[in-house]
């Protein structure tokens, strides 16, 4: 079984929730020959087991395998066999590297990227995310992760009325996009690369498919998404999750064009209470796990169960990503 290929590592940053370690950390089985460090071979041998581990634990860190280039990482993603999700409607500036592999958010290293479910602000979001550390950071630059149902439970216990409002009304996200990408901004993706077109009419059609309204302004466009749900029921695990980008938008969607406080409101248009958002940010930090990246690490996240973020870092750091349906 799995022991043929993998051995479980314990690392100090892991936490236990409901009796399960988070995240699960797997490395090559030392009983195999030193040469046998092929993650693709291990995946082929254990795919159903890995799927069940991901479902149970929410995230898996593969450490110590011979994954050294973007092409190696692309092979790993392909071997899992999940369908690719085109990055339409997302806010982050990204560049395609090879195959299904992109840079992770290219915003400046001194900026923190707040907790979010990937693309929770659009109706078509990935179910799984892969991250790969090609160049480990000089310091910082972790990708903290947190279990969404734990955040929901803590928020519901502390702010039942606020959570009820979220469940009833959902959220509206508003973002102003320039024409071209702005790499100095964490949400600097221009409308042309957001909708993969230079044609405003095509952009409007693609936005409409995402239930997004566009309002053209002098040097760009205002996108309005929602109301969309802020809490989701995870049928496969029978629990509610904190499936939104509320904290990320309210505390991080800031650049020359955008005021974060206006970036997200209740679905009825009412403003969100600032003190609750910042307390939610504290809860996310409290419950999260931040594992320092090592070169060759591959992190697989169930985007339906886990939020992620990025800490500031000292260059160099290169973390690549791939999104799956």
């Amino acid at each position: 079984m799995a022991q043929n290929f993998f051995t479980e590592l314990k690392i100090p940053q892991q936490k236990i929730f409901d009796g399960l370690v988070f995240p699960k950390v797997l490395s090559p089985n030392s009983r195999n020959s030193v040469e046998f460090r092929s993650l693709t071979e291990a995946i082929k041998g254990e795919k159903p087991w890995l799927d069940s581990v991901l479902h149970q634990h929410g995230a898996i860190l593969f450490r110590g395998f011979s994954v050294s280039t973007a092409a190696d990482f692309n092979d790993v993603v392909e071997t899992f066999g999940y369908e690719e999700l085109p990055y339409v409607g997302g806010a982050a500036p990204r560049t395609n590297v090879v195959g299904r592999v992109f840079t992770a958010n290219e915003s400046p290293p001194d900026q923190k990227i707040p907790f979010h479910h990937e693309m929770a602000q659009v109706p078509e979001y990935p179910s799984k995310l892969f991250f790969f550390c090609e160049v480990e950071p000089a310091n910082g630059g972790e990708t903290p992760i947190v279990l969404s149902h734990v955040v929901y439970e803590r928020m519901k216990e502390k702010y039942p009325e606020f959570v009820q409002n979220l469940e009833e009304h959902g959220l509206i996200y508003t973002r102003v996009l320039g024409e071209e990408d702005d790499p100095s901004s964490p949400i600097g993706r221009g409308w042309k690369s957001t909708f993969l077109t230079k044609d405003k009419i095509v952009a409007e059609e693609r936005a409409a498919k995402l239930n997004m309204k566009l309002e053209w302004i002098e040097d760009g466009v205002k996108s309005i998404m929602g109301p969309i749900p802020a809490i989701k029921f995870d049928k496969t695990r029978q629990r509610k999750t904190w499936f939104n980008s509320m904290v990320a938008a309210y505390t991080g969607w800031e650049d020359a064009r955008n005021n974060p406080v206006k970036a997200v409101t209740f679905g009825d248009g009412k403003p969100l209470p600032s003190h609750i958002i910042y307390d939610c940010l504290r809860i996310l930090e409290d419950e999260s796990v931040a594992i320092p990246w090592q070169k060759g690490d591959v992190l697989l996240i169930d985007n339906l169960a886990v939020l992620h973020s990025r800490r500031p870092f000292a260059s160099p750091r290169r973390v690549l990503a791939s999104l799956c349906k």
Side-chain angles (χ1 to χ4, degrees), residues 13-323:
Q13 294 85 3
Q14 285 167 304
K15 293 184 179 176
I16 306 279
F17 295 96
D18 307 321
L20 293 167
V21 70
F22 178 72
K24 187 88 153 176
V25 183
L26 299 176
S27 67
N29 190 333
S30 55
R31 285 182 302 208
N32 290 317
S33 66
V34 177
E35 290 76 51
F36 188 80
R37 297 202 173 266
S38 165
L39 183 49
T40 52
E41 290 304 312
I43 295 161
K44 283 176 193 162
E46 300 297 349
K47 175 70 165 55
W49 180 74
L50 289 169
D51 282 339
S52 71
V53 169
L54 182 65
H55 189 262
Q56 246 191 325
H57 295 263
I60 305 172
L61 175 65
F62 298 96
R63 174 163 281 179
F65 290 91
S66 57
V67 186
S68 52
T69 66
D72 292 344
F73 174 48
N74 191 62
D75 290 344
V76 168
V77 174
E78 293 276 4
T79 305
F80 265 96
Y82 305 131
E83 200 180 336
E84 184 177 12
L85 182 90
Y87 190 59
V88 179
R94 295 177 190 266
T95 309
N96 184 227
V97 179
V98 59
R100 295 170 56 164
V101 173
F102 286 77
T103 55
N105 189 321
E106 292 173 336
S107 62
D110 61 338
Q111 291 184 1
K112 180 178 162 189
I113 297 169
F115 280 101
H116 60 288
H117 282 278
E118 190 65 35
M119 296 169 71
Q121 74 278 12
V122 293
E124 283 183 47
Y125 43 79
S127 70
K128 295 172 186 71
L129 313 174
F130 287 90
F131 291 104
F132 163 61
C133 179
E134 188 177 32
V135 179
E136 68 184 71
N139 63 54
E142 299 93 340
T143 300
I145 51 177
V146 62
L147 284 162
S148 195
H149 74 286
V150 173
V151 179
Y152 171 79
E153 283 159 14
R154 281 201 56 185
M155 286 296 291
K156 187 165 174 64
E157 189 182 350
K158 195 163 183 186
Y159 301 110
E161 198 178 317
F162 172 75
V163 171
Q164 191 181 341
N165 269 340
L166 277 183
E167 297 203 52
E168 278 176 24
H169 300 292
L171 292 166
I172 292 173
Y173 299 92
T174 304
R175 188 164 62 92
V176 179
L177 292 72
E179 198 163 309
E180 306 299 337
D181 288 2
D182 173 6
S184 72
S185 163
I187 52 160
R189 209 157 172 241
W191 68 262
K192 289 179 179 176
S193 61
T194 297
F195 300 109
L196 308 176
T197 182
K198 292 177 181 175
D199 185 325
K200 288 184 178 179
I201 291 164
V202 174
E204 284 175 11
E205 286 167 359
R206 288 183 180 162
K209 280 186 189 156
L210 298 170
N211 297 322
M212 187 189 284
K213 293 190 282 291
L214 297 184
E215 293 175 6
W216 297 98
I217 54 179
E218 193 178 329
D219 61 344
V221 66
K222 182 194 269 192
S223 69
I224 301 154
M225 170 63 73
I228 61 171
I231 309 294
K232 280 202 187 308
F233 182 68
D234 181 345
K235 290 193 185 107
T236 66
R237 297 176 180 90
Q238 291 292 300
R239 63 196 188 195
K240 286 184 176 177
T241 59
W242 193 253
F243 197 86
N244 60 67
S245 298
M246 179 187 78
V247 168
Y250 197 93
T251 67
W253 285 16
E254 183 167 16
D255 61 14
R257 292 184 170 83
N258 290 278
N259 171 358
V261 174
K262 293 179 178 170
V264 59
T265 63
F266 281 119
D268 58 4
K270 292 191 175 122
L272 298 170
S274 180
H275 69 287
I276 295 181
I277 307 290
Y278 280 94
D279 200 29
C280 182
L281 180 57
R282 279 192 289 277
I283 288 169
L284 286 157
E285 294 284 357
D286 282 353
E287 299 292 353
S288 71
V289 172
I291 299 169
W293 283 111
Q294 292 182 11
K295 179 173 170 51
D297 281 353
V298 173
L299 178 63
L300 170 56
I301 294 175
D302 184 329
N303 189 45
L304 309 181
V306 172
L307 302 97
H308 68 281
S309 67
R310 185 198 78 184
R311 289 187 177 165
F313 60 92
S315 294
R317 173 194 191 263
R318 187 165 159 93
V319 172
L320 304 178
S322 188
L323 312 182

